[in-house]
């Protein structure tokens, strides 16, 4: 029998800590995994103490997931290289802006046959346009990558409220292993092979959620938000069909948790919607609101809109994605948010 696989969670924010709760608990219950789970923590001082020390003594991430006990076998490690050095499975769950630096730090310091699982919702810009975060990791570290995306608001997952999620994994056997590591009675997983589509859903839905937040801030009702969700989904599918070139893109993947379910959840809850609503009501900048409202967490929607806009501009396709474009223009070009609704009224779907 194979030696038990050692797991390291790279990241310890709200979502990373919720996942640590699941992974730590599952690792103890299965002989396929080493019971000790490392969690890399970007060291901070909270109430005069190191965050790693608090987690390792009180088994709680008091800053990012207060009120939830982490399993005692989850060990907070401040040194990134130390955290990953013996890991067979690396779970990446950090803001997408930091992935390049993290990969540069651990390059050549990990097992060459390690498996990666990205829970990061965002995209990167490459020389030829869009680059998936899993591709960035794969190229920098040379490891096999899968992704996990779904309608998974971290606090609800930590509360063990029932939800679904989607693992995108090209290898069926590996997909089954990752499902065993991550699934619980209340965190139900479907594995699909279209990992690139699963990942693009996780990134693009944050742009749509910003649009939903604009609607809320402007005082429009649920009918309007439903239109934002539907038209946003259409743009997500169209974008995936243009940019996911590994094979045909099936509509079925968009009906998984990573697609329509995550989109709905994010447009009604989630930080992108909340900050976008405040953007309308307060007149403050996105940067100021991120700092004031998110307790150190990062906002993904506007940044993803900027990356997508750059790619669409290179492909001369901006006009085909009016909702994505409107979010970009409002966030970055001073376009009046009151005109957001015109992108719905004049959407090609309505022509």
């Amino acid at each position: 029998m194979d030696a038990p696989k050692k797991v390291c969670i790279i990241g310890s924010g709200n979502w990373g800590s919720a996942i640590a709760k699941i992974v730590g608990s599952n690792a103890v219950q299965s002989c396929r995994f080493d019971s000790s789970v490392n969690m890399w923590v970007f060291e901070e001082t909270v109430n005069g103490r190191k965050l790693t020390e608090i987690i390792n003594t009180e088994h709680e991430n008091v800053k990012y997931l207060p009120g939830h006990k982490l399993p005692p076998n989850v060990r907070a490690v401040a040194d990134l290289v130390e955290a990953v050095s013996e890991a067979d499975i690396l779970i990446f769950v950090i803001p997408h802006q930091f992935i390049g630096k993290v990969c540069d730090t651990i390059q050549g310091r990990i097992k060459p046959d390690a498996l990666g699982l990205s829970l990061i919702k965002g995209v990167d810009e490459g020389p030829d346009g869009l680059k998936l975060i899993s591709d960035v990791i794969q190229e920098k570290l040379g490891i096999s990558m899968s992704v996990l995306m779904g309608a998974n608001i971290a606090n609800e997952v930590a509360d063990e409220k029932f939800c679904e999620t989607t693992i995108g994994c090209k290898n069926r056997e590996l997909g089954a292993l990752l499902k065993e590591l991550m699934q619980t009675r209340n965190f139900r997983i479907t594995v699909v092979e279209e990992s690139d589509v699963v990942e693009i859903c996780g990134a693009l839905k944050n742009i749509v959620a910003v649009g939903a937040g604009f609607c809320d801030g402007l005082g429009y009702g649920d009918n309007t938000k439903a239109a934002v969700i539907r038209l946003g989904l259409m743009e997500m599918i169209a974008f995936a069909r243009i940019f996911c070139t590994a094979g045909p893109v099936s509509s079925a993947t968009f009906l998984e948790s990573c697609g329509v379910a995550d989109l709905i959840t994010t447009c009604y809850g989630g930080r992108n919607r909340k900050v976008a609503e405040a953007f309308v009501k307060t007149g403050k900048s996105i940067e100021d609101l991120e700092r004031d409202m998110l307790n150190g967490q990062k906002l993904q929607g506007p940044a993803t809109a900027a990356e997508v806009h750059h790619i669409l501009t290179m492909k001369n396709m901006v006009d085909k994605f009016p909702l994505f474009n409107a979010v970009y223009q409002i966030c970055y070009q001073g376009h009046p948010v009151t005109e957001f609704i015109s992108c719905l009224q004049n959407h090609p779907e309505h022509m």
Side-chain angles (χ1 to χ4, degrees), residues 309-329:
H309 184 267
H310 176 74
I311 292 151
L312 291 172
T313 302
M314 286 168 60
K315 298 266 186 186
N316 202 22
M317 287 182 169
V318 170
D319 294 346
K320 289 183 165 49
F321 296 86
L323 194 150
F324 288 176
N325 187 38
V327 169
Y328 167 75
Q329 289 184 323

Side-chain angles (χ1 to χ4, degrees), residues 24 102 128 167:
V102 163
D128 304 317
I167 287 179

Side-chain angles (χ1 to χ4, degrees), residues 227-267:
V228 170
I229 291 170
R230 192 190 74 81
L231 293 168
L233 180 62
M234 292 298 113
E235 292 193 16
M236 286 168 61
I237 294 170
F239 192 93
R241 291 204 162 128
I242 293 164
F243 292 98
C244 295
T245 54
V249 171
S250 78
S251 299
T253 304
F254 292 91
L255 298 177
E256 297 292 348
S257 183
C258 61
V260 67
D262 195 9
L263 181 60
I264 291 167
T265 298
T266 312
C267 287

Side-chain angles (χ1 to χ4, degrees), residues 68-104:
H68 290 279
K69 287 296 181 188
L70 299 177
N73 59 309
V74 173
R75 183 173 74 102
V77 182
D79 185 294
L80 178 56
V81 173
E82 179 193 339
V84 303
S85 62
E86 295 177 6
D88 302 291
I89 299 175
L90 300 167
I91 299 174
F92 295 86
V93 53
I94 53 175
H96 81 285
Q97 298 93 323
F98 304 139
I99 194 62
K101 188 176 178 186
V102 163
C103 287
D104 289 343

Side-chain angles (χ1 to χ4, degrees), residues 84-160:
V84 303
S85 62
E86 295 177 6
D88 302 291
I89 299 175
L90 300 167
I91 299 174
F92 295 86
V93 53
I94 53 175
H96 81 285
Q97 298 93 323
F98 304 139
I99 194 62
K101 188 176 178 186
V102 163
C103 287
D104 289 343
T105 303
I106 64 176
Q107 200 170 23
R109 306 292 190 93
I110 59 171
K111 289 186 173 181
D113 60 347
L115 308 170
L117 179 67
S118 173
L119 279 61
I120 300 169
K121 293 178 176 177
V123 290
D124 199 17
E125 278 183 52
D128 304 317
L130 177 135
K131 200 159 198 175
L132 299 174
I133 299 299
S134 63
D135 289 339
V136 173
I137 299 170
Q138 193 157 14
E139 285 176 20
K140 283 184 176 278
L141 301 182
I143 61 174
S144 168
M145 287 298 301
S146 301
V147 299
L148 181 149
M149 307 277 155
N152 308 141
I153 290 175
N155 285 39
E156 294 183 14
V157 173
D159 285 336
E160 298 178 27

Side-chain angles (χ1 to χ4, degrees), residues 153-229:
I153 290 175
N155 285 39
E156 294 183 14
V157 173
D159 285 336
E160 298 178 27
K161 292 175 178 170
F162 179 84
C163 70
E164 301 175 310
T165 199
T166 311
I167 287 179
C169 181
K170 295 181 176 71
N171 179 313
R172 193 166 292 185
E173 200 175 307
L174 174 53
L177 177 74
L178 293 171
K179 180 173 179 172
E180 184 179 336
L181 175 64
M182 309 295 288
Q183 180 163 273
T184 71
R185 183 172 171 77
N186 288 313
F187 190 64
R188 307 304 291 175
I189 294 172
T190 302
V191 182
V192 301
E193 288 186 17
E194 286 185 327
S195 57
D196 52 351
V197 180
V198 172
E199 187 168 4
I200 207 79
C201 283
L204 298 179
K205 58 96 190 184
N206 283 328
I207 306 177
V208 185
V210 173
F214 290 160
C215 279
D216 290 340
L218 292 164
Y220 289 96
D222 284 340
N223 292 346
T224 310
K225 194 189 282 195
V228 170
I229 291 170

